[in-house]
């Protein structure tokens, strides 16, 4: 059985993230969506809120589960016997940073493999940061995030 993790802050989860999750669920026996608590960022939502929103979004995929963690990804991977790290790429600019991170994870994780999945072209411009910025200025983000995420954002922040 091959277990993969798709790590990220997912603040908030976007339809681009869900595209990668859905495609990964077809490639691996089990996919863990790993919600990172990053002390260097100021998230809009707590790790628990983000995990709950993702859990609702991934209900159609029975082999996907959600967890959250702090610290090094490779430590989580080792302690949970995960085989593969999944990274979504939107553009060439993502590749450079993700390639460097994959090399470090491979070094620290003693051979941990990273698989890159290109996001659907419809989401190639989409990021959580951009969604938050547009939302803060009352821009329309419908269709960029799952409907329940948009509802939660409106309820919590407006």
């Amino acid at each position: 059985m091959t277990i993969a993790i798709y790590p990220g802050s997912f603040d908030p989860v976007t339809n681009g993230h869900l595209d990668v999750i859905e495609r990964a669920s077809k490639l691996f026996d089990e996919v863990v969506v790993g919600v990172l608590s990053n002390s260097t960022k100021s998230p809009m939502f707590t790790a628990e809120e983000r995990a709950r929103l993702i859990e609702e979004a991934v209900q159609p995929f029975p082999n996907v589960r959600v967890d959250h963690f702090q610290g090094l990804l490779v430590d989580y991977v080792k302690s949970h016997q995960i085989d593969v790290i999944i990274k979504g790429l939107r553009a060439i600019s993502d590749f450079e940073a993700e390639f460097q991170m994959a090399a470090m994870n491979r070094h620290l994780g003693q051979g941990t493999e990273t698989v890159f999945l290109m996001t659907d072209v419809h989401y190639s411009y989409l990021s959580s940061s951009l969604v938050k910025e547009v939302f803060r200025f009352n821009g329309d983000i419908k269709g960029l995030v799952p409907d329940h995420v948009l509802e939660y954002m409106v309820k919590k922040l407006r």
Side-chain angles (χ1 to χ4, degrees):
M1 182 158 116
T2 305
I3 303 172
I5 184 167
Y6 179 40
S9 57
F10 305 106
D11 187 42
V13 65
T14 69
N15 288 337
H17 293 131
L18 291 178
D19 171 62
V20 171
I21 292 167
E22 179 179 9
R23 288 187 296 117
S25 75
K26 295 173 185 173
L27 298 173
F28 300 100
D29 297 311
E30 182 178 351
V31 175
V32 178
V33 179
V35 179
L36 177 62
S37 296
N38 187 338
S39 60
T40 64
K41 292 186 177 182
S42 300
M44 182 178 280
F45 301 112
T46 67
E48 293 78 15
E49 287 173 310
R50 289 178 273 150
R52 201 168 47 251
L53 291 168
I54 296 167
E55 283 171 352
E56 187 172 338
V58 300
Q59 284 179 357
F61 317 118
N63 63 330
V64 175
R65 65 181 174 86
V66 181
D67 197 5
H68 53 87
F69 68 97
Q70 291 182 313
L72 290 176
L73 173 60
V74 291
D75 291 340
Y76 183 90
V77 165
K78 285 181 200 174
S79 66
H80 290 82
Q81 290 134 11
I82 292 173
D83 305 294
V84 175
I85 298 168
I86 300 165
K87 291 299 206 145
L89 298 177
R90 295 169 295 195
I92 297 294
S93 57
D94 285 347
F95 179 75
E96 188 172 333
E98 293 298 350
F99 178 82
Q100 187 176 24
M101 187 64 68
M104 181 58 78
N105 286 335
R106 186 171 170 82
H107 170 76
L108 293 173
Q110 301 170 351
T112 300
E113 294 294 345
T114 300
V115 172
F116 297 108
L117 294 177
M118 297 301 297
T119 191
D120 186 286
V121 69
H122 294 101
Y123 305 117
S124 61
Y125 65 93
L126 189 56
S127 70
S128 293
S129 299
L130 186 57
V131 165
K132 287 187 289 192
E133 185 174 344
V134 170
F135 181 79
R136 283 188 182 115
F137 289 101
N138 296 317
D140 183 10
I141 60 169
K142 186 166 180 53
L144 303 180
V145 298
D147 290 342
H148 73 279
V149 172
L150 177 56
E151 290 170 16
Y152 190 79
M153 290 172 74
V154 168
K155 185 173 123 180
K156 180 174 178 164
L157 302 168
R158 285 195 181 152

